[in-house]
Amino acid sequence: LTSERYSVQRLPFSMVSEEDLASFECIIPGRVITDPEELEVANVDWLRSVRGCSKVLLKPRTTEEVSCILRHCHQRNLAVNPQGGNTGLVGGSVPVFDEIILSTALMNQVISFHDVSGILVCQAGCVLEELNHYVQDRGFIMPLDLGAKGSCHIGGNVATNAGGVRFLRYGSLRGTVLGLEVVLADGTVLDCLTSLRKDNTGYDLKQLFIGSEGTLGVITAVSILCPPRPKAVNVAFLGCPGFAEVLQVFSTCKGMLGEILSAFEFMDAECMQLVGQHLHLTRPVRESPFYVLVETSGSSADHDMEKLDGFLEQALGSGLVTDGTVGTDQSKVQALWALRERITEALSHDGYVFKYDVSIPVERFYDLVTDLRTRLGPRVKHVVGYGHLGDGNLHLNVTAEAFSASLLAALEPYVYTWTAAQQGSVSAEHGLGFKKKDVLGYSKTPAAVQLMWQLKALLDPRGLLNPYKTLPAHL
Ligand code: FAD
Ligand code: MLT
Ligand code: ZN
């Protein structure tokens, strides 16, 4: 078997036999799925750009069941593809060939929540939005939020080290995740599920699994620190006349809003056009080349509004912003956020999407977008830039009528060399998965990549967990 578009060869893993299915049926009775319709969904990624041909989907409920499954797979040399909500954007969540799909969909129980510390412990398959509702009812929020919240699992978020729109305020999962329970490739349960803020006893093993994209172990439970629910949330949606002004608005925001600034997102005019065209969302301010979304979260509505008013007066008065609107009630806040959060969805309706997710110095942020518009010309539909400007993370997306190898050749390695020349990251938050595994070397040294392979060999000597993903071919 060879995957045509990517020219990958199937590694010599065993094929799932009737006996294997019978063993799985003993471990998880009634939850061994071989129904072609259900498998079709699990074999295709969210972007519909990577498709595997797995014949079996397993749905364990407990850590013990995951452990028994992996022990069996290890003994039988069967490859496994861990899957959460299948919202990943780099083809890591679906099999490349016939890997067994191990889904966390039924591992959706909250284990404990402490309403003084705000520490939540839950199974890996809890849906992010459901967790947010759960902790909100108790006066807290999840430290991360992203457009895929309605489907993505917390285990998938941890496995990809997802960033999202709260990163600016609450930081990386590397800080907010306090503990993990992980099942290793041979079935060993590694219990690092502590709920301690401070713990310097030996190496911090959980960090190995955060962002490891299912290649080092299956995350079965997560302990995570939730911040208190802000009493006041305001969103300002602003139009800017140029990218230089976008950067000045960011500096002004940091200076004037300081501790209440909770998000700073940006999108260009083409993004706004696409959310209008494909999702029928209406532009809330006059047309501008750029738009920014500024969110404040604080404990006093009057104090926050006073600060926000001061900032808006300054930004409008100095011409940094040409038009703006503010949402204070939940429905307007959500409507303004939808303009930014649903860009991904709008792009998916526009055609084939070439997605790039880079960290580069904000001063050079938009140069990459304009460079590519010139380079690609009329053979593409749109070249758009949006993203988490406050975190230095640009989402650069190109849409075309269909996938084309010549277009891909015009984009890659150009985008990667451009990024590497800025000492940037070729994958800021989505990970490498299947689609980007070969570009790791643009952001990491050969010695670092070598050590990654050594860690993989140590934890998964047979290479059974998410093969063909994350790491490039051996040096
Ligand atoms: P999946 O897609 O199922 O899997 C992702 C990877 O993690 C795969 O390699 C899989 O094998 C592995 N994995 C999943 N569960 C486990 C587990 N329990 N143990 C071990 N490995 C596991 N990402 C961001 O960082 N920021 C964003 O703002 C953002 N916005 C998004 C918006 C949309 C509309 C969409 C579709 C995606 C977005 N993403 C974003 C991509 C992001 O990676 C995912 O949404 C999310 O983190 C993946 O979670 P999931 O449960 O869907 O994982
Ligand atoms: C976002 O910030 O919207 C997500 O990372 C998804 C994307 O890049 O399209
Ligand atoms: Zn993002």
Side-chain angles (χ1 to χ4, degrees), residues 82 84-88 92-93 146 153 157 159-160 162-164 213-214 217 219 429 466:
N86 196 9
T87 65
S93 55
L146 45 142
H153 297 182
N157 297 147
T160 55
E213 303 183 75
I219 297 165
E429 61 173 8
N466 238 359

Side-chain angles (χ1 to χ4, degrees), residues 85-96:
N86 196 9
T87 65
L89 297 172
V90 287
S93 55
V94 290
V96 178

Side-chain angles (χ1 to χ4, degrees), residues 368-436:
L368 182 53
V369 181
T370 45
D371 254 30
L372 273 181
R373 280 198 186 121
T374 313
R375 185 178 166 84
L376 301 172
R379 58 185 158 155
V380 295
K381 290 179 83 176
H382 292 282
V383 178
V384 303
Y386 59 101
H388 316 289
L389 189 133
D391 310 324
N393 178 190
L394 169 73
H395 293 313
L396 163 76
N397 284 227
V398 177
T399 62
E401 290 297 347
F403 173 81
S404 130
S406 69
L407 204 47
L408 184 65
L411 282 159
E412 300 177 17
Y414 185 81
V415 172
Y416 300 127
T417 49
W418 203 104
T419 304
Q422 306 297 319
Q423 281 76 48
S425 169
V426 292
S427 183
E429 61 173 8
H430 299 157
L432 298 166
F434 178 59
K435 288 181 170 179
K436 301 204 171 157

Side-chain angles (χ1 to χ4, degrees), residues 230-271:
K231 293 201 172 57
V233 175
N234 299 309
V235 168
F237 198 92
L238 313 169
C240 291
F243 194 70
E245 285 80 2
V246 169
L247 294 182
Q248 282 179 268
V249 172
F250 182 42
S251 297
T252 312
C253 263
K254 284 197 285 187
M256 297 187 72
L257 300 174
E259 75 292 348
I260 62 166
L261 180 65
S262 54
F264 192 96
E265 296 285 321
F266 108 105
M267 59 197 273
D268 63 16
E270 288 197 38
C271 289

Side-chain angles (χ1 to χ4, degrees), residues 35 51 188 199 248 287 295 304 316 385 409 423 452 457-458:
D35 167 49
R51 182 187 296 267
T188 304
D199 175 19
Q248 282 179 268
E287 197 169 355
E295 187 192 72
D304 293 4
L316 281 158
Q423 281 76 48
M452 289 186 201
L458 178 73

